[in-house]
Amino acid sequence: MRTPRHAVLLITHAADHFAIDRVQAGVARRGATPIRLDTDRFPGHLRLTTRVGPAGLSVRLRAEDVDLPIDAVASVWLRRVFGPPRPTGLSDLEADHCVRESRAALDGFLSALCGAPWLDPLPDVRSAENKLVQLREAQRAGLDIPPTVVGNDPDEVRALWAACRGQVVAKMLTPVARSMGPAPAVYTSALQASDLDDLDGLALAPMIFQERVDKLRELRVVYVAGRCFVGSLDAVGDDWRKPTAPGPSPWRIGALPDDVAGRLDAVMRALHLRFGVADLLVARDGSYRFLELNPAGEWGMLERDLDLPIADAIAEELCKPR
């Protein structure tokens, strides 16, 4: 069992590939040791221990081939945090209890790594995932955002529909996709007039409703410590994530005007993030509209299809001398 020095801890899940593999390679090229922590393999396959006593605080990660003490962790990349798997063969009450205890232990372990620099700290990521916080900071920074309603009141949705002359889309508050694998099951979709009489489902789960922008292009902007890597799609439908027929990649290398890039940088600084993936639209009138930000968003397809050096930029940030 190896005990690495100058380790870069990469936090993700077992089904995550390509993007994390590229970052691992970039870290190794810079002379550091990448250590992958698949959070969904705890507690079944990973041993995490946190000690608190007269000597202070210490944590240790043990897996099949690694024994990692806290003082060996030089930096941390928060790619994904997944909860522990639900045990089988137990009652619902017992299984729920096991999941809660495992999640609490994992959160405690991660919080003990506060002495190392993170890209980005878990509390900042969780705060920045709040869509209303994002929209507020984007508006404060001077970015244009579509009129938006978040909630479960059908009357408010109908009022937005009337104000936008029937041009409204509905989408989820949280992402469904886990990685570059299967497409998410719930897509952004246009609200139809017939939907206005069938909004009872909002009593089960609120949603986001936004003005449907007459768009020319969709942009996915990967922000890494002040640098922006932009993928551009010609506007087709209401959600670019929907599967399409096999063929050439629809992605093209894009760019942001300096003023829009500067405002996005202000949003990231306000959210205390050095990494994030933002979705923007270019409207047919030439304006740029901010939609949302994912602090741990997917970008692997942009590196794969456009050869954008995103993984290398992340690895560079993780291996910076402190």
Side-chain angles (χ1 to χ4, degrees):
M1 184 175 292
R2 60 194 174 108
T3 302
R5 308 302 300 177
H6 197 76
V8 175
L9 190 60
L10 311 175
I11 300 175
T12 186
H13 62 89
D16 194 17
H17 301 290
F18 185 80
I20 194 166
D21 295 342
R22 298 291 288 258
V23 173
Q24 280 183 289
V27 168
R29 284 196 303 271
R30 288 165 172 79
T33 304
I35 301 295
R36 178 170 174 153
L37 169 57
D38 294 327
T39 54
D40 55 342
R41 298 181 70 233
F42 174 75
H45 298 89
L46 297 177
R47 297 182 182 182
L48 302 178
T49 303
T50 307
R51 293 189 181 91
V52 182
L57 175 70
S58 68
V59 300
R60 183 175 294 273
L61 161 67
R62 297 183 67 193
E64 292 87 347
D65 64 341
V66 65
D67 187 348
L68 181 66
I70 189 173
D71 58 4
V73 178
S75 61
V76 181
W77 180 36
L78 183 63
R79 162 75 169 165
R80 299 279 191 271
V81 175
F82 275 29
R86 187 178 179 83
T88 59
L90 302 176
S91 69
D92 287 345
L93 182 62
E94 291 169 331
D96 288 345
H97 183 69
C98 288
V99 169
R100 284 197 306 271
E101 291 295 291
S102 298
R103 188 184 298 274
L106 177 62
D107 283 351
F109 172 84
L110 296 177
S111 70
L113 297 171
C114 57
W118 283 58
L119 187 69
D120 283 294
L122 184 55
D124 291 338
V125 168
R126 286 177 172 167
S127 174
E129 286 174 340
N130 187 314
K131 292 293 188 288
L132 292 176
V133 170
Q134 298 172 15
L135 293 172
R136 183 173 67 243
E137 294 299 344
Q139 198 167 44
R140 184 175 295 165
L143 289 170
D144 290 335
I145 62 172
T148 302
V149 166
V150 180
N152 65 338
D153 189 334
D155 291 340
E156 294 289 345
V157 177
R158 295 183 186 108
L160 179 67
W161 167 275
C164 296
R165 299 181 180 181
Q167 296 299 306
V168 174
V169 295
K171 58 186 182 180
M172 296 181 65
L173 281 159
T174 57
V176 178
R178 296 164 64 99
S179 61
M180 288 174 62
V186 181
Y187 301 105
T188 299
S189 58
L191 201 64
Q192 306 297 325
S194 57
D195 296 328
L196 300 180
D197 296 325
D198 188 24
L199 295 173
D200 294 342
L202 293 177
L204 301 176
M207 295 187 73
I208 300 178
F209 300 89
Q210 284 185 325
E211 180 183 35
R212 189 179 188 223
V213 177
D214 184 14
K215 59 190 177 184
L216 185 64
R217 292 188 302 279
E218 303 192 46
L219 304 179
R220 174 146 280 211
V221 182
V222 184
Y223 177 99
V224 186
R227 299 174 65 186
C228 288
F229 303 90
V230 185
S232 174
L233 285 174
D234 291 338
V236 178
D238 292 303
D239 198 322
W240 61 264
R241 298 169 299 174
K242 285 186 177 181
T244 58
S249 170
W251 290 102
R252 301 291 181 267
I253 294 177
L256 288 180
D258 289 344
D259 61 330
V260 176
R263 289 166 184 155
L264 180 60
D265 183 74
V267 173
M268 299 299 291
R269 292 176 183 275
L271 296 173
H272 308 291
L273 296 178
R274 289 184 295 141
F275 176 86
V277 179
D279 289 323
L280 293 89
L281 300 179
V282 181
R284 292 196 180 276
D285 63 7
S287 62
Y288 287 72
R289 310 287 178 87
F290 174 90
L291 297 182
E292 63 183 23
L293 172 76
N294 191 330
E298 187 52 63
W299 49 267
M301 65 285 191
L302 301 184
E303 176 144 343
R304 179 194 63 199
D305 297 351
L306 304 178
D307 203 28
L308 292 175
I310 300 168
D312 208 56
I314 293 171
E316 181 72 24
E317 190 66 18
L318 290 169
C319 295
K320 275 185 176 179
R322 307 292 175 181

